[in-house]
Amino acid sequence: MGYVFPPEAPVTAAVVGTDDCVALRRVYCVGRNYAAHAREMGFDPDREPPFFFLKPNNTVVPVAYHETLKLAYPAQTSNYHYEAELVAVIGKGGSDIAQEKALEHVWGYAVGLDMTRRDLQIQMREMGRPWEIGKAFDQSAPMGPIHPAASVGDIDHAKLWLSVNGEIKQSSSIDYLIWSVAETIAYLSRFFRLEPGDLIFTGTPEGVGAVLPGDIIKVGVERLGELTVEIV
């Protein structure tokens, strides 16, 4: 059996300090998972069940440490937003995962950006339609190298930050997640079988905002380092 069109190469992300990489499968994103961010978006942050949207795995753009990713300002938007996030990388598959076992399914963590065409997202939201054109466009998920969970330790209290042109815009901590990483995995696995190579963008804190060509974004998570993006 042959292919009518040659298949694309696997989408991968580097493992820090090695020549290894992880083949990426699905990209799950948790919506409004920090209370203050929910409020700034006009929503009640009560602890309702989490909700998710997906990005194609080829929206992930690897960003090496000490390098600057040139990220093109996308088409059809005039309100292009950053969202700093902790990314959890699944290494062991499973369905209906118990919360107390959930972190056993995490292979590693990375720093991520959920770039958003906010005007299109809001337009779709107000029309009751899916968010894909606001969230799932090309190069909408820059991500740093993956750190094995065993080398990271307890991530639940790590600091998370983002600056634009040297000015801090987001500054929070992973322990402010409404739904923790373990709770998110347990809940998500009730609806999808998680598999190795799945990513979970765990949500962004308050302080999201727009960027323009020429802006420099730096985003970091304690113990995972910092990545740099220039909007062009």
Side-chain angles (χ1 to χ4, degrees), residues 94-224:
S95 300
D96 293 314
I97 298 167
Q99 181 181 324
E100 60 271 18
K101 299 287 187 180
L103 294 184
E104 297 175 10
H105 293 257
V106 176
W107 190 87
Y109 297 99
V111 179
L113 271 171
D114 170 17
M115 300 302 293
T116 302
R117 295 191 283 204
R118 188 72 72 200
D119 43 1
L120 300 186
Q121 180 201 14
I122 291 172
Q123 180 184 358
M124 293 300 102
R125 188 181 73 199
E126 290 176 348
M127 297 172 70
R129 294 178 179 176
W131 291 1
E132 273 77 5
I133 65 171
K135 286 286 193 179
F137 54 95
D138 296 342
Q139 297 189 312
S140 61
M143 190 178 84
I146 299 169
H147 294 245
S151 70
V152 173
D154 180 11
I155 199 72
D156 287 343
H157 306 291
K159 304 300 183 186
L160 179 152
W161 65 90
L162 180 145
S163 68
V164 179
N165 301 327
E167 181 181 351
I168 293 293
K169 299 292 188 178
Q170 293 184 281
S171 180
S172 191
S173 175
I174 303 305
D175 50 14
Y176 287 123
L177 286 169
I178 296 172
W179 292 86
S180 70
V181 174
E183 290 171 323
T184 297
I185 290 170
Y187 189 85
L188 181 61
S189 72
R190 291 164 55 185
F191 301 93
F192 300 92
R193 178 175 174 82
L194 300 180
E195 296 288 359
D198 286 344
L199 304 180
I200 302 175
F201 278 62
T202 57
T204 196
E206 70 278 11
V208 300
V211 285
L212 295 168
D215 286 341
I216 303 291
I217 302 171
K218 291 184 179 291
V219 56
V221 175
E222 188 178 6
R223 296 197 292 279
L224 300 182

Side-chain angles (χ1 to χ4, degrees), residues 5-83:
F5 305 109
E8 293 185 354
V11 179
T12 62
V15 177
V16 70
T18 75
D19 293 327
D20 295 334
C21 61
V22 172
L24 305 182
R25 183 174 175 267
R26 294 179 179 171
V27 181
Y28 299 96
C29 303
V30 188
R32 297 196 291 269
N33 202 21
Y34 284 81
H37 173 58
R39 292 189 189 99
E40 76 178 353
M41 297 302 292
F43 293 92
D44 185 340
D46 286 347
R47 204 169 185 271
E48 62 182 10
F51 71 93
F52 303 88
F53 58 92
L54 285 89
K55 293 176 182 265
N57 63 2
N58 61 6
T59 63
V60 175
V61 190
V63 186
Y65 290 136
H66 311 300
E67 295 183 6
T68 298
L69 171 69
K70 303 288 188 180
L71 189 64
Y73 195 97
Q76 303 299 320
T77 185
S78 59
N79 197 17
Y80 185 39
H81 276 213
Y82 54 78
E83 296 189 7

